[in-house]
Amino acid sequence: MHAIHISEYGGPEVMTWTEFPDPVPNDGEVAVRLGVAGVNFMDTGARKMPLPTWSVPTVLGVEGMGIVTALGSGVEDFAVGDRVAWRYHKGSYAERLAIPARSLVRVPDDIDDETAAAILMQGLTANHFTTETYAIQPGDTAVVHSAAGGVGVILTQLIKARGGTVIGLVSREEKIPVAKKAGADHVLVSAGSGFERQVRELTGGEGAQVVYDGGGSATFHSSQLALRRHGVHAYYGVVNGNPPFRPADLPTASCCPIRPSSTTCPLARHWCGGRTSCSSSSGRGR
């Protein structure tokens, strides 16, 4: 079988179509023939630079869907021929994989291959953000960075479904219709800092209850200034750079910074400065 492999960091040119032995499932694993691999922004980061859970040499990719071809011992919940999908299995840009059965879900017949490959990581992440990191309630206002992107579009849809108001941020004018179609109430064009003034104007000077910030170090401080008192700053932009941070630099509005982990947030766990939870003044931020 072949896989997209890198042995050094860099641009797309470092990716090579490399031959490997077919994987054999161990106990509790399932062998899968890839149908479609999901492409995530994380994959770009893993290709360009060292990340906490990635190093070279490696095969890129973290999610996809495919067909079960063999079962390791102890696997009872799947059968050869099942259509399955997974999220966060490193090395998913490969023709064949051996994946822990606990990481797989069956794909319903009415879900096409491309949707199944693309939805799990971004969808579960967005669901965790809106139910665990900060549980959106009717009347809440949320700022969504990259509102025309994969996570941003699903975040917007979930926030609206839970009765919230969405202020979406996009980097270019042409992305506005995408964010609007997803349901954003307001869309601001901002590729960096300075959007906090507009957010406060749209919220009557109060600021937002939560900012879902995947923008990286360029947006970090402005996201906190866009929050209301005891607002939650959910920062997941580590692939775009980590800002220098000291608790004394936080705004005086007692904001709560949270860094949901890219590897654990879909499993309803998160990292928050070494703590297990982080509550807002209403008790609904987590």
Side-chain angles (χ1 to χ4, degrees):
M1 69 103 181
H2 288 78
I4 295 178
H5 179 265
I6 64 170
S7 57
E8 60 181 321
Y9 299 110
E13 71 279 355
V14 303
M15 298 189 296
T16 61
W17 188 238
T18 304
E19 187 173 5
F20 291 93
D22 285 358
V24 177
N26 294 317
D27 294 352
E29 292 185 336
V30 173
V32 176
R33 182 181 73 251
L34 183 75
V36 180
V39 178
N40 288 277
F41 190 63
M42 178 187 294
D43 306 339
T44 304
R47 187 201 74 219
K48 293 193 299 185
M49 60 186 177
L51 296 178
T53 58
W54 287 82
S55 60
V56 295
T58 190
V59 174
L60 296 173
V62 291
E63 70 174 337
M65 69 77 54
I67 305 297
V68 173
T69 59
L71 305 175
S73 63
V75 176
E76 300 178 350
D77 296 333
F78 297 96
V80 172
D82 283 349
R83 294 172 70 231
V84 293
W86 59 91
R87 46 80 46 203
Y88 208 78
H89 179 76
K90 292 168 61 178
S92 291
Y93 289 2
E95 291 180 311
R96 294 181 181 273
L97 305 98
I99 304 174
R102 65 179 181 273
S103 299
L104 298 172
V105 296
R106 280 194 185 85
V107 178
D109 291 339
D110 58 347
I111 302 295
D112 63 83
D113 291 356
E114 287 78 11
T115 299
I119 196 64
L120 277 181
M121 187 147 177
Q122 296 175 96
L124 288 170
T125 297
N127 179 72
H128 175 75
F129 284 1
T130 55
T131 60
E132 291 281 337
T133 302
Y134 179 86
I136 296 289
Q137 298 293 319
D140 285 346
T141 296
V143 175
V144 176
H145 285 262
S146 303
V151 173
V153 165
I154 302 173
L155 265 175
T156 296
Q157 293 170 332
L158 292 180
I159 293 164
K160 295 302 297 179
R162 294 174 67 90
T165 296
V166 175
I167 301 174
L169 297 179
V170 297
S171 59
R172 299 191 301 273
E173 293 279 347
E174 57 265 33
K175 294 184 178 182
I176 292 176
V178 177
K180 283 285 190 181
K181 184 178 180 181
D185 300 275
H186 312 279
V187 183
L188 308 177
V189 178
S190 175
S193 61
F195 55 84
E196 65 271 17
R197 178 184 58 79
Q198 292 167 287
V199 171
R200 290 198 168 276
E201 289 175 355
L202 291 170
T203 56
E206 290 293 318
Q209 274 86 359
V210 59
V211 176
Y212 297 106
D213 180 7
S217 56
T219 61
F220 190 83
H221 189 58
S222 286
S223 290
Q224 294 177 348
L225 294 177
L227 288 166
R228 65 181 300 168
R229 181 173 175 80
H230 291 173
V232 173
H233 179 201
Y235 179 73
Y236 64 104
V238 292
V239 174
N240 286 322
N242 283 314
F245 174 72
R246 300 178 305 160
D249 295 331
L250 290 171
T252 57
S254 301
C255 77
C256 177
I258 295 178
R259 178 184 172 256
S261 167
S262 60
T263 58
T264 60
C265 64
L267 301 179
R269 291 177 289 171
H270 65 270
W271 181 93
C272 181
R275 297 162 57 183
T276 56
S277 66
C278 189
S279 298
S280 72
S281 58
S282 65
R284 290 187 284 104
R286 286 181 49 83

